[in-house]
Amino acid sequence: MTKYTVDDRGYYGNFGGAFIPEMLYPNVEELRQNYLSIMSEPGFQAEFQRLLRDYVGRPTPLFLAERLSEKYQTQVYLKREDLNHTGAHKVNNTLGQILLAERLGKRKIVAETGAGQHGVATATMCALKGLECIVYMGEVDIERQAPNVARMKMLGAEVRAAKSGSRTLKDATNEAMRHWINNPVDTHYIIGSVVGPHPYPDMVARFQSVISGEIRRQLAEQTGSETPDYVIACVGGGSNAAGVFYHFLEDEQVKIIAAEAAGLGVQSGKSAATTFLGKPGILHGSKSLLMQTADGQVVEPHSVSAGLDYPGIGPLHAHLWETGRAKFMAITDEEAMQAGFALARLEGIIPAIESSHALAALEYLQAGPSEKVVIGLSGRGDKDLATYMKWMEI
Ligand SMILES: *Cc1c(COP(=O)(O)O)cnc(C)c1O
């Protein structure tokens, strides 16, 4: 155990834990008792590594972006998670959890999804493994994200509408948890980020840590040194960021930058910048920072990017924020969109709008000409083309 890994009680400093209804306890406890031993089995690791390579397409490249580097007068490297199968980092986690579910004897999978990216990654892995897949999605999101709903259906998943509350991600998460309570024996619940009750944040971070493991090896090959000066990633719940940061947490000379979605501005009332606006609270089974009213009601977040539109962050990130290990930046919709357009023109890469938030952090960095900056390019922008197009007309 180190300063930044989870302790025996499931806490990162003051954040984490497992705040769950009694009915969920047996499921979560079964997972807690088994996840580390299953993940360390040679057979598990062999299959995980094989499928990461032959199915997901790893290792993803670490690309020295020369024209972007010139613009910012520093050395910018892009970790190309957009080149994974299904177009983002999420598949690293869904693959890991599916293999774990199999070894726990679970034949059915339930998941929640907001924009549909995690739902698609889960449905993909269920198809690969022939497992039954049910995905809960807010009714509003089902309308907003029709292409991803179609993908999930084509992959054989059943998409169920969450019709309570604001009918978006947090409501879908509630419904998925309820489903798990009612089907504890044969079902595994795949959470899509480093959130939820212990051991989920730690388990998901470990699956995503493949990202920074590769970055270290690739930097060593390309530059002779395993460590950069900066690592930058966007934070919704925080899973791609956890993956990008993981193997650098103990290297205190590596500066860690987390980009949150400021929406229309931190003080606009339409924002998702949790570390700027949140207070400690409990959401979806763990204690973390959470955007809430004075009497503890969850505040609806806003971001142009569906993947960052979440009112909390994972407990690891709350701890990185509280200890000052990571610096958090709030990037507005406008700043992110401009960074997305710039990457398309400068490097021929259309990023997910989520990833554009990490790119926009370059504007504030003031890194020197010989410093190395690694940016997690969490996903590709195909899913966001309509939003980019609309922005160009404004
Ligand atoms: C879902 C998603 C995110 C946000 O989720 P994290 O858990 O914070 O990584 C970021 N980028 C892309 C491309 C996504 O699909």
Side-chain angles (χ1 to χ4, degrees):
M1 206 197 102
T2 71
K3 229 163 113 185
Y4 305 112
T5 49
V6 82
D7 69 19
D8 300 340
R9 296 153 47 244
Y11 277 80
Y12 300 88
N14 293 315
F15 302 104
F19 297 82
I20 47 175
E22 208 178 315
M23 302 275 288
L24 213 54
Y25 182 80
N27 301 24
V28 173
E29 184 58 16
E30 180 186 27
L31 200 59
R32 190 187 68 77
Q33 285 183 5
N34 293 296
Y35 81 109
L36 290 175
S37 59
I38 291 176
M39 284 172 71
S40 64
E41 282 169 12
F44 177 95
Q45 277 303 324
E47 190 177 7
F48 186 46
Q49 298 305 333
R50 178 179 68 83
L51 289 171
L52 283 176
R53 187 189 65 216
D54 299 341
Y55 189 71
V56 174
R58 304 203 71 94
T60 59
L62 182 71
F63 172 62
L64 173 60
E66 291 186 355
R67 301 225 301 145
L68 194 64
S69 297
E70 195 182 312
K71 174 173 172 175
Y72 290 104
Q73 291 295 298
T74 187
Q75 304 295 312
V76 182
Y77 292 81
L78 302 176
K79 182 56 174 164
R80 299 288 309 274
E81 294 302 297
D82 59 315
L83 294 177
N84 284 322
H85 182 43
T86 70
H89 67 287
K90 289 206 170 71
V91 68
N92 303 325
N93 168 49
T94 50
L95 169 61
Q97 286 202 49
I98 285 275
L99 299 184
L100 199 108
E102 277 191 322
R103 282 156 180 81
L104 288 171
K106 315 274 179 181
R107 301 295 304 166
K108 298 182 179 180
I109 298 296
V110 64
E112 84 294 334
T113 196
Q117 297 300 106
H118 175 56
V120 169
T122 302
T124 298
M125 285 301 157
C126 287
L128 181 71
K129 287 292 185 177
L131 302 182
E132 183 184 307
C133 182
I134 296 174
V135 179
Y136 285 90
M137 189 169 185
E139 203 170 34
V140 170
D141 290 332
I142 288 180
E143 269 166 44
R144 285 194 293 200
Q145 309 289 340
N148 276 342
V149 175
R151 283 187 189 104
M152 286 185 269
K153 288 185 174 164
M154 181 157 175
L155 292 161
E158 182 190 337
V159 180
R160 291 193 184 166
K163 298 180 179 179
S164 62
S166 55
R167 296 174 292 146
T168 56
L169 176 59
K170 102 182 137 44
D171 312 290
T173 307
N174 291 336
E175 300 267 343
M177 285 196 170
R178 204 166 301 146
H179 180 97
W180 199 26
I181 291 174
N182 292 329
N183 301 273
V185 178
D186 60 353
T187 301
H188 174 68
Y189 174 28
I190 301 191
I191 297 184
S193 191
V194 285
V195 300
H198 178 65
Y200 277 102
D202 183 49
M203 179 172 69
V204 177
R206 284 170 186 264
F207 286 137
Q208 292 292 359
S209 73
V210 63
I211 300 173
S212 47
E214 289 176 3
I215 293 173
R216 289 190 79 104
R217 283 194 299 279
Q218 292 167 322
L219 269 182
E221 274 170 30
Q222 293 181 30
T223 73
S225 162
E226 284 190 3
T227 51
D229 297 283
Y230 294 87
V231 285
I232 308 178
C234 66
V235 173
S239 69
N240 88 87
V244 171
F245 302 165
Y246 197 89
H247 291 292
F248 299 111
L249 290 171
E250 307 299 325
D251 294 300
E252 301 270 354
Q253 81 280 13
V254 178
K255 298 180 197 77
I256 295 178
I257 310 286
E260 290 190 289
L264 301 185
V266 170
Q267 299 305 335
S268 67
K270 287 207 152 280
S271 178
T274 303
T275 61
F276 293 83
L277 297 167
K279 297 262 177 308
I282 291 165
L283 180 67
H284 298 142
S286 67
K287 183 174 172 206
S288 190
L289 292 172
L290 171 64
M291 289 167 46
Q292 54 190 313
T293 60
D295 51 358
Q297 291 301 306
V298 176
V299 172
E300 278 302 315
H302 165 82
S303 167
V304 65
S305 103
L308 303 185
D309 203 350
Y310 186 69
I313 52 172
L316 163 64
H317 296 292
H319 181 55
L320 296 179
W321 169 80
E322 192 171 64
T323 55
R325 178 67 186 94
K327 186 167 172 236
F328 282 73
M329 290 184 185
I331 303 295
T332 64
D333 290 352
E334 176 66 27
E335 289 170 321
M337 296 304 280
Q338 294 311 330
F341 289 124
L343 189 73
R345 296 281 173 93
L346 287 174
E347 301 289 350
I349 299 169
I350 298 175
I353 301 175
E354 291 85 353
S355 320
S356 296
H357 286 72
L359 293 161
L362 281 169
E363 293 282 340
Y364 297 100
L365 212 56
Q366 294 175 329
S370 63
E371 290 195 295
K372 287 172 282 186
V373 180
V374 175
I375 301 185
L377 204 74
S378 55
R380 65 176 181 230
D382 307 47
K383 68 184 178 60
D384 297 319
L385 279 181
T387 311
Y388 278 126
M389 287 301 106
K390 222 159 67 192
W391 216 269
M392 277 162 84
E393 288 159 16
I394 297 173

